[in-house]
Amino acid sequence: MKDKILSIALSVLLSSACLSPLADSLPAKAVPSWSISSNYEVYEEPETEHGSLKYYIFSDHAVLVCADWDTSELIIPESVNGVPVTVITDDAFWDQVPKHISIPSTIEDLGSSLGELESDVTIELSPENKNYINKDNVIYTSDMEKLVRVSPRFDKEEFTIPDTVITVCGKAFNRCRKIKTVNVPASVATIGDETFEGCSLLEAINVDEGNIFYISKDGVLFDKSMTELYQYPVGSKNTSYTVPDSVTRICTSAFVNCDGLRTVDFGSSLEIIENSAFANCDNLNDIVFPESTREISFNAFEGCSRLSKITFSDNIEKVEATSFSATPWFNAQPDGVIYIGKVLYKVKGKLAQRSVVTVREGPVSIADCAFCTED
């Protein structure tokens, strides 16, 4: 249920890859290495009892853009309408839960599509595929420079990324529920967004001291300068955490679902809290934002079911409408205009027709949908 709540806010954006026939409506992140042009046709296979697959057909290849499938085996064909299927877009499998998926030999670009598979899925890669390999239940590019996906069926408690890997794709470890420790070698230069999402037992991310891009401290992943906090291990046994004073940004989903945390000290330099950073931290109950805080993004604290006390900085200049949705703090606010720092955050309750709302002096911004009232 918690993961479903998180996905609702994103569903409208991500579903455009499945619903729209216009190439330029695809989310930018849904395009891996192929470029969009107008010289294509939309083709959707006739629906079967298990669902349907949607493609963009170009003159010499096909791109799978959406799989609307049930929980049975999903076999990606080698060709459609006489051309090979060579690309699967990042969001093609979004919200899909097949039990088994087969990737053909023709695929040249998987993007981060496999990261969207959230079920306990078996990933079968054709041994004839020259672009990717499956090694010990992990999908890599054939040169072993990119880690694409660790299977949710990976059953060991520790995972050491090979020292050939330069890039770890977004959501590469999604729902790897048995892994407790991940070791990052010096070779890794890029770690994608939400890489460790759903790793409910993860206790530590350890980075080799020779890595010039990332560093870990007490199992927490940062950039090398420790100004950006990328990932807090959701399975940590600690009930409190102090963000280092060097940190200015807490990145997307960095603490999502960290139910063990009761208190977080944000340090003295924090400026930005990104999307869903603390969403669904069920035991987080009292937070104080430092004076340095300027921006709180979408769903940042959404669904924190015990978050009842919040002390805001007067310097906050941007707050998104869903930042504190479904929290006791928001539920306890009286009907009327709610201000956070220098932001008109929300008009709560019902407004009569032709109501007049007078904005007080001082705010520099109004949150999106601030006037989307109950009626």
Side-chain angles (χ1 to χ4, degrees):
M1 182 63 181
K2 292 170 63 175
D3 294 316
K4 184 177 181 180
I5 291 172
L6 272 177
S7 68
I8 288 173
L10 297 173
S11 61
V12 174
L13 172 63
L14 297 181
S15 62
S16 62
C18 296
L19 300 179
S20 173
L22 300 177
D24 59 7
S25 70
L26 274 169
K29 85 185 194 76
V31 185
S33 63
W34 57 284
S35 59
I36 293 176
S37 72
S38 59
N39 300 318
Y40 71 95
E41 295 179 358
V42 178
Y43 173 73
E44 189 163 358
E45 291 184 340
E47 187 169 352
T48 69
E49 61 178 317
H50 299 299
S52 63
L53 301 177
K54 180 177 178 180
Y55 302 88
Y56 286 164
I57 308 295
F58 294 82
S59 61
D60 59 351
H61 71 287
V63 176
L64 177 63
V65 295
C66 184
D68 185 6
W69 213 253
D70 64 13
T71 58
S72 64
E73 182 179 36
L74 173 55
I75 300 176
I76 309 300
E78 289 193 346
S79 64
V80 173
N81 283 9
V83 294
V85 179
T86 62
V87 176
I88 301 176
T89 61
D90 287 4
D91 296 320
F93 301 131
W94 188 78
D95 206 29
Q96 301 301 301
V97 287
K99 295 178 180 177
H100 185 105
I101 183 167
S102 295
I103 309 296
S105 62
T106 53
I107 293 297
E108 298 175 1
D109 198 329
L110 285 167
S112 59
S113 61
L114 298 182
E116 295 294 343
L117 295 168
E118 298 187 345
S119 59
D120 190 15
V121 62
T122 299
I123 302 171
E124 180 184 353
L125 177 68
S126 169
E128 297 179 4
N129 191 297
K130 296 180 180 179
N131 301 289
Y132 295 93
I133 60 173
N134 187 336
K135 184 176 181 180
D136 300 326
N137 234 1
V138 183
I139 306 297
Y140 302 90
T141 51
S142 55
D143 57 10
M144 291 285 290
E145 290 187 356
K146 181 181 290 187
L147 191 163
V148 178
R149 185 67 160 104
V150 180
S151 170
R153 291 181 175 272
F154 188 85
D155 59 2
K156 296 181 176 62
E157 294 186 354
E158 184 171 4
F159 185 89
T160 298
I161 298 173
D163 59 12
T164 57
V165 171
I166 298 173
T167 300
V168 179
C169 289
K171 293 190 175 182
F173 290 83
N174 188 16
R175 302 297 180 93
C176 291
R177 294 188 176 95
K178 294 186 178 180
I179 295 177
K180 293 184 177 182
T181 304
V182 174
N183 301 314
V184 180
S187 60
V188 171
T190 302
I191 298 176
D193 291 340
E194 302 170 286
T195 296
F196 303 99
E197 183 174 338
C199 295
S200 55
L201 294 182
L202 185 63
E203 296 179 356
I205 303 165
N206 302 318
V207 179
D208 188 283
E209 292 181 357
N211 192 299
I212 63 173
F213 298 99
Y214 297 96
I215 192 172
S216 58
K217 183 177 181 181
D218 300 325
V220 182
L221 180 66
F222 302 86
D223 71 320
K224 193 67 173 182
S225 64
M226 289 189 65
T227 58
E228 297 189 359
L229 191 159
Y230 289 127
Q231 184 69 56
Y232 182 89
V234 67
S236 172
K237 301 296 192 297
N238 296 325
T239 59
S240 63
Y241 181 70
T242 298
V243 176
D245 287 336
S246 59
V247 171
T248 61
R249 180 188 298 265
I250 295 178
C251 296
T252 297
S253 300
F255 289 83
V256 67
N257 292 335
C258 287
D259 290 345
L261 279 179
R262 297 181 182 275
T263 59
V264 175
D265 183 333
F266 289 124
S268 60
S269 304
L270 182 64
E271 298 178 7
I272 298 172
I273 299 175
E274 291 188 350
N275 299 342
S276 303
F278 291 88
N280 297 319
C281 290
D282 282 346
N283 288 300
L284 193 62
N285 54 43
D286 182 356
I287 56 176
V288 178
F289 291 103
E291 291 300 309
S292 56
T293 308
R294 296 186 291 104
E295 181 178 329
I296 304 171
S297 297
F298 289 104
N299 310 322
F301 294 87
E302 181 186 26
C304 292
S305 58
R306 295 188 181 182
L307 183 55
S308 57
K309 184 178 180 181
I310 306 175
T311 303
F312 293 102
S313 162
D314 291 334
N315 297 322
I316 295 174
E317 299 178 347
K318 183 178 181 180
V319 182
E320 302 295 353
T322 57
S323 296
F324 300 96
S325 297
T327 63
W329 173 85
F330 180 77
N331 295 338
Q333 300 306 303
D335 286 356
V337 183
I338 301 172
Y339 294 94
I340 292 177
K342 298 178 181 179
V343 181
L344 192 163
Y345 172 60
K346 187 73 176 174
V347 178
K348 187 182 179 185
K350 295 183 178 181
L351 287 176
Q353 279 192 323
R354 303 181 187 279
S355 294
V356 176
V357 176
T358 301
V359 180
R360 72 186 186 191
E361 294 288 335
V364 298
S365 68
I366 297 175
D368 290 344
C369 299
F371 291 90
C372 298
T373 58
E374 293 176 9
D375 56 349

